Amino acid sequence: MVRNTYEGLLDDWKVRLIRQRARRRRFRGQDLEEAVQQAALAVCNCRYDEARSNGAAESTVLTAIVDHQLFSIRRAQSRRAQHLER
């Protein structure tokens, strides 16, 4: 299995955060890499602004974004499985 690299796009700590949160949501194997890729895109689109953060640290904001993205992926998988059962 080849891991995607995000050099120049994301800091290493952000990629580690995404992988850690995805593993906690029980993404494994190929699903893990796909989830990390989708969450990385969401993180790339995020522009942290300390003035508008209401005191939240950048890591807190990114954790919320990643968790929301991973939840959305799981929900889509569940809906797809229910659709196929029908």
Side-chain angles (χ1 to χ4, degrees), residues 38-78:
Q38 288 182 18
L41 286 172
V43 169
C44 284
N45 291 330
C46 171
R47 300 290 175 233
Y48 176 72
D49 184 8
E50 189 173 344
R52 297 180 61 201
S53 68
N54 292 330
E58 183 179 13
S59 60
T60 305
V61 173
L62 293 178
T63 299
I65 291 169
V66 169
D67 285 348
H68 176 74
Q69 190 69 29
L70 295 174
F71 177 77
S72 297
I73 293 168
R74 281 291 189 215
R75 184 176 55 207
Q77 288 174 343
S78 174

Side-chain angles (χ1 to χ4, degrees), residues 11-49:
D11 296 333
D12 288 338
W13 72 269
K14 292 178 182 179
V15 176
R16 284 193 307 270
L17 174 75
I18 295 169
R19 285 189 192 286
Q20 179 187 35
R21 303 303 290 184
R23 284 188 187 114
R24 285 185 182 178
R25 292 242 182 216
R26 294 191 174 101
F27 284 93
R28 300 288 184 257
Q30 187 63 30
D31 287 341
L32 174 66
E33 291 304 316
E34 290 177 13
V36 169
Q37 187 175 27
Q38 288 182 18
L41 286 172
V43 169
C44 284
N45 291 330
C46 171
R47 300 290 175 233
Y48 176 72
D49 184 8

